[in-house]
Amino acid sequence: MQWETVIGLEVHVQLATRSKIFSGASTAFGAEPNTQACAVDLGLPGVLPVLNEAAVAMAVKFGLAIHAEIPEVSVFDRKNYFYPDLPKGYQTSQMYQPIVGAGEVEITLEDGTTKPIRVHHAHLEEDAGKSLHEDFHGMTGVDLNRAGTPLLEIVSEPDMRSAKEAAAYLKAIHSIVTYLGISDGNMAEGSMRCDVNVSVRPKGQEAFGTRAEIKNVNSFRFVERAIAFEVERQIELLEDGGKVVQETRLFDPERDETRSMRTKEEANDYRYFPCPDLLPVVLDKAYIDHLRDNLPELPAEKRARFENELGLSAYDASVLSATREMADYFEEVKDVCLDAKQAANWVQGELAGALNRENLSIANSPVSARQLGELVARVIDDTINGKAAKQVFQALWNGQGASADDIIEAQGLKQVTDTGAIEAMIDQVIADSPAQVAQYRDAEPDKRGKMIGYFVGQVMKASRGTANPQQVNELLRQKLDALC
Ligand code: ADP
Ligand code: MG
């Protein structure tokens, strides 16, 4: 039997407001426990929440970016449950009238194809605190700094059909929210996490299978691994004649498996009702239009411009527009060297390779975009050859000079294009290599092409890599053929 995977994601994005969604307490990451939780966050008697307008603006910007409907009225509800990290006894969320209606996110797969994924809605809510089970012997600590931090929960339709599509969707959301500047997107610090709903159905069947929901997955890689495990588990279960039960599971990255947390029967009854402390949010058209008019260029638009106006391939355009930092870096390199294709090659080749090796993000690149742009310009104007360019790049990376020109000068890497100088080196190499010359002479003419590599290598070495390789090739061929 052939199976088809069906996936829907609920992505929680922490919004980059300075204060909390209903209080003035700071949202900064990493403070001492409980130093950033005020009376409102603790739900002390007599306090009232005040909605943070910045959170509203950020949610609406997201809605506009995914071409969603923005309803005129949205309403906050109380989701009631008891938990030590939720001192109010309820989470303020939006159940029935969310701030962002139906929209659409386009994902790009590895082969460059695109697919639209529908978003059911996105709603605002507050985060809970954190229970600390490890720090105290025989006790659990509670840190309420995170309580009241604004979250935007983005709920997709079950439109994804593979782990790769789910990861691509998460990446698309990540790039939209970081382009908009509404979240730092820092997954390691929990700024983006998602609940992954997975089911399988026989290929061709229209009705969805029963789904399991994997809670709180916090990296692109874990999303893929959790889905891979879950799909296999469900198929095995069904093929053995069993049934998938609707339940909440958790992903354990260490054991690379998902485990049951609670089944539907044990699920909470949240007794949702409109929060009497908060007025409905009413947005007028002028407010929404103002936000729309001030949206930055978004990933999809940038990708299209890179492709259509700069002539990059679909793949390059998609890689280089994936994050705002990457796009800005690339554009600066291009503006300095004035060649988009060369800029794209260097950013994705030499630079990306070096960043990967040292596990650095582009924001922390030791080589600035201007430095790289100037280096690429020296390749384009033939001041240095490709080999020397790599040396210059390494030197810039190691901080051995402030600019490509300084390094070229200091290390004598300027390309030798003077025919006389190159000929002198060639004559020397030929004189020093009688055995190879004899071999060359005795070889069939169609085999000689390959043998020339040895001589090219020797001449390049003699020039310390600075000779123009094309000229070396041409002149060598003439001189060697003249000996035959
Ligand atoms: P609930 O109200 O129980 O939370 P929703 O209808 O809101 O359920 O769906 C929650 C998430 O689960 C959505 O992202 C949706 O796309 C996804 N989903 C719903 N049904 C399925 C299914 N059969 N398989 C996979 N994902 C699903
Ligand atoms: Mg739901």
Side-chain angles (χ1 to χ4, degrees):
M1 165 113 57
Q2 290 258 49
W3 296 92
E4 182 174 51
T5 305
V6 173
I7 303 159
L9 255 47
E10 296 162 278
V11 182
H12 295 84
V13 174
Q14 185 176 315
L15 297 175
T17 57
R18 281 186 298 160
S19 58
K20 295 194 177 167
I21 184 166
F22 302 120
S23 84
S26 168
T27 54
F29 181 82
E32 283 293 299
N34 299 309
T35 55
Q36 290 177 178
C38 71
V40 173
D41 308 319
L42 299 176
L44 296 186
V47 298
L48 285 171
V50 176
L51 178 59
N52 184 343
E53 201 251 354
V56 172
M58 289 178 183
V60 172
K61 280 192 207 174
F62 176 79
L64 294 169
I66 63 161
H67 311 289
E69 303 157 32
I70 310 295
E72 194 186 343
V73 179
S74 60
V75 175
F76 283 98
D77 300 295
R78 287 185 181 181
K79 178 180 182 180
N80 298 279
Y81 64 101
F82 174 79
Y83 211 71
D85 61 21
L86 189 76
K88 295 195 298 183
Y90 60 84
Q91 178 193 28
T92 309
S93 181
Q94 297 185 308
M95 178 64 184
Y96 303 107
Q97 290 182 260
I99 188 148
V100 173
E104 197 170 275
V105 170
E106 186 174 86
I107 62 169
T108 307
L109 299 167
E110 269 162 17
D111 64 2
T113 56
T114 59
K115 174 179 171 176
I117 304 295
R118 291 168 302 154
V119 169
H120 180 271
H121 76 270
H123 63 261
L124 280 169
E125 61 185 27
E126 60 182 342
D127 209 344
K130 231 197 268 180
S131 294
L132 308 167
H133 301 292
E134 268 123 51
D135 303 6
F136 309 96
H137 188 71
M139 291 184 286
T140 291
V142 180
D143 176 7
L144 293 167
N145 282 353
R146 211 179 57 186
T149 298
L151 299 177
L152 184 65
E153 178 172 340
I154 303 156
V155 181
S156 85
E157 295 286 358
D159 283 353
M160 287 150 273
R161 295 290 173 270
S162 67
K164 288 264 181 265
E165 288 189 9
Y169 171 79
L170 199 58
K171 282 180 187 156
I173 297 279
H174 186 267
S175 92
I176 292 169
V177 300
T178 50
Y179 265 64
L180 288 170
I182 64 171
S183 175
D184 64 18
N186 189 332
M187 298 187 78
E189 289 178 6
S191 297
M192 225 175 109
R193 25 191 217 272
C194 69
D195 302 339
V196 186
N197 297 272
V198 182
S199 65
V200 296
R201 62 179 171 187
K203 226 183 174 114
Q205 175 184 307
E206 201 167 323
F208 288 138
T210 305
R211 75 188 141 115
E213 177 176 12
I214 311 159
K215 282 275 179 203
N216 257 326
V217 189
N218 66 355
S219 87
F220 298 117
R221 210 147 16 103
F222 289 174
V223 165
E224 287 195 52
R225 280 165 49 187
I227 293 171
F229 175 87
E230 189 56 24
V231 166
E232 212 169 299
R233 183 188 73 88
Q234 292 185 13
I235 291 175
E236 222 165 89
L237 196 60
L238 293 167
E239 289 188 340
D240 287 350
K243 269 192 171 148
V244 175
V245 288
Q246 190 172 336
E247 63 180 351
T248 308
R249 299 178 71 86
L250 102 131
F251 175 64
D252 177 347
E254 245 134 65
R255 297 170 62 175
D256 214 7
E257 63 177 26
T258 67
R259 284 197 299 276
S260 182
M261 280 168 73
R262 53 175 187 267
T263 59
K264 203 179 177 188
E265 287 72 45
E266 306 162 81
N268 292 303
D269 171 6
Y270 294 121
R271 295 171 292 119
Y272 280 100
F273 64 85
C275 181
D277 291 344
L278 287 157
L279 289 167
V281 182
V282 180
L283 302 176
D284 60 29
K285 192 174 169 304
Y287 178 80
I288 295 169
D289 286 346
H290 174 75
L291 291 174
R292 185 184 286 113
D293 292 343
N294 288 290
L295 286 181
E297 185 181 40
L298 289 159
E301 296 159 0
K302 215 179 270 281
R303 195 171 62 233
R305 179 166 62 81
F306 284 0
E307 225 184 304
N308 303 332
E309 287 175 31
L310 302 183
L312 299 187
S313 70
Y315 176 80
D316 287 357
S318 139
V319 171
L320 293 169
S321 61
T323 68
R324 196 159 155 179
E325 282 97 359
M326 173 78 95
D328 289 349
Y329 189 105
F330 158 70
E331 290 224 67
E332 192 177 339
V333 175
K334 173 209 68 174
D335 290 341
V336 173
C337 78
L338 303 175
D339 185 321
K341 285 223 171 83
Q342 291 270 10
N345 288 344
W346 275 85
V347 170
Q348 290 176 101
E350 211 64 18
L351 179 75
L355 291 172
N356 263 342
R357 268 194 300 282
E358 306 210 7
N359 207 2
L360 288 173
S361 72
I362 201 157
N364 298 318
S365 169
V367 179
S368 72
R370 165 154 295 278
Q371 286 174 321
L372 183 56
E374 288 167 352
L375 163 58
V376 179
R378 290 297 162 263
V379 178
I380 294 169
D381 70 14
D382 277 335
T383 304
I384 50 176
N385 63 33
K387 191 157 181 252
K390 288 188 178 172
Q391 249 173 286
V392 175
F393 179 84
Q394 259 318 309
L396 284 170
W397 183 274
N398 297 336
Q400 289 167 311
S403 73
D405 285 338
D406 288 354
I407 293 165
I408 293 166
E409 182 66 39
Q411 302 195 7
L413 294 174
K414 217 166 157 200
Q415 177 159 249
V416 177
T417 52
D418 167 16
T419 316
I422 294 176
E423 275 180 313
M425 288 187 277
I426 289 176
D427 291 341
Q428 189 61 52
V429 167
I430 287 177
D432 291 348
S433 321
Q436 285 83 355
V437 172
Q439 262 179 1
Y440 185 91
R441 196 183 308 134
D442 296 343
E444 298 290 327
D446 61 326
K447 298 268 160 57
R448 288 179 181 153
K450 265 196 197 150
M451 303 180 70
I452 206 162
Y454 165 80
F455 297 98
V456 174
Q458 293 300 306
V459 177
M460 291 307 289
K461 204 163 136 195
S463 76
R464 290 176 23 265
T466 60
N468 178 304
Q470 249 167 316
Q471 278 174 293
V472 170
N473 245 299
E474 269 163 39
L475 292 169
L476 252 173
R477 208 171 284 266
Q478 285 168 20
K479 289 205 179 251
L480 284 170
D481 288 345
L483 295 174
C484 296

